[in-house]
Amino acid sequence: CGIIGDGGLVAVFISVFGSALATEQIGLHAALGGFMIGIIIPRPFKHFLIERLEPLTVVLLLPFFFAMTGMKTSFDITSNTIVSITLIAIVMSMVGKFLGTTLPARRLGENWPDSIAIGILMQTKGMMEVLLLTIFRDAAIISPTCFSAMMFMAIITTSLTMPMLRLVMPWISKAPVPS
């Protein structure tokens, strides 16, 4: 039951695009429709579909999405407003993500070094934040200035994740492992 024929693949494409069109028509973002189809696809088919479609989406479609998003982003370094919003967003995001994951991880029984590593690794924003920011900008929920500041916050905090982890790794690796 792990293989979908060509007809099944066509049905998946029709479902995804149809659902995307439907959500767009009712005033929601098309990505929400595609996401909903992804949720309802039966688990045995998901791995096959990912294996079959991921090369196409990662190599062809994802760069177009990022290029389009980049063209909607502008960062005027001479603007005190955008620089201030970006800096505040970076600090608040890093502190919030770090404390919001480190402390619960510790409370749930992780040791301090692992809890700190989890807090640092949560700095990565990934594709979902970029998608949500794009949806919010397109729906005029956030301003173009806020969109640009938040995009740069996502890029900067994600870029800082590995350097921060490398900085604390010597301390983490020397920590005693509980038995």
Side-chain angles (χ1 to χ4, degrees), residues 69-141:
T69 302
M71 288 190 284
K72 294 178 185 178
T73 306
S74 63
F75 193 79
D76 181 9
I77 199 148
T78 62
S79 166
N80 289 335
T81 303
I82 197 163
V83 172
S84 299
I85 292 171
T86 303
L87 292 174
I88 290 168
I90 289 169
V91 170
M92 297 303 293
S93 171
M94 291 181 78
V95 170
K97 284 263 189 175
F98 182 77
L99 293 177
T101 53
T102 300
L103 298 177
R106 180 67 183 132
R107 176 90 166 99
L108 291 171
E110 293 292 334
N111 59 37
W112 274 112
D114 288 346
S115 297
I116 290 168
I118 291 168
I120 291 171
L121 289 170
M122 284 302 290
Q123 298 304 316
T124 58
K125 303 301 185 240
M127 182 67 181
M128 192 53 86
E129 183 168 9
V130 172
L131 178 62
L132 287 174
L133 287 172
T134 302
I135 291 170
F136 291 163
R137 183 188 186 281
D138 290 349
I141 294 171

Side-chain angles (χ1 to χ4, degrees), residues 4-83:
I4 300 173
D6 291 340
L9 200 55
V10 169
V12 168
F13 277 114
I14 290 171
S15 299
V16 169
F17 290 122
S19 181
L21 179 63
T23 54
E24 189 71 33
Q25 291 297 315
I26 63 172
L28 300 173
H29 200 277
L32 181 61
F35 180 75
M36 294 305 295
I37 293 298
I39 289 173
I40 64 171
I41 289 176
R43 186 173 301 271
F45 299 122
K46 287 181 183 184
H47 296 293
F48 174 77
L49 287 170
I50 289 170
E51 183 180 299
R52 187 123 183 236
L53 299 176
E54 191 172 45
L56 171 74
T57 58
V58 171
V59 173
L60 185 64
L61 300 178
L62 202 57
F64 279 113
F65 172 75
F66 280 117
M68 294 300 296
T69 302
M71 288 190 284
K72 294 178 185 178
T73 306
S74 63
F75 193 79
D76 181 9
I77 199 148
T78 62
S79 166
N80 289 335
T81 303
I82 197 163
V83 172

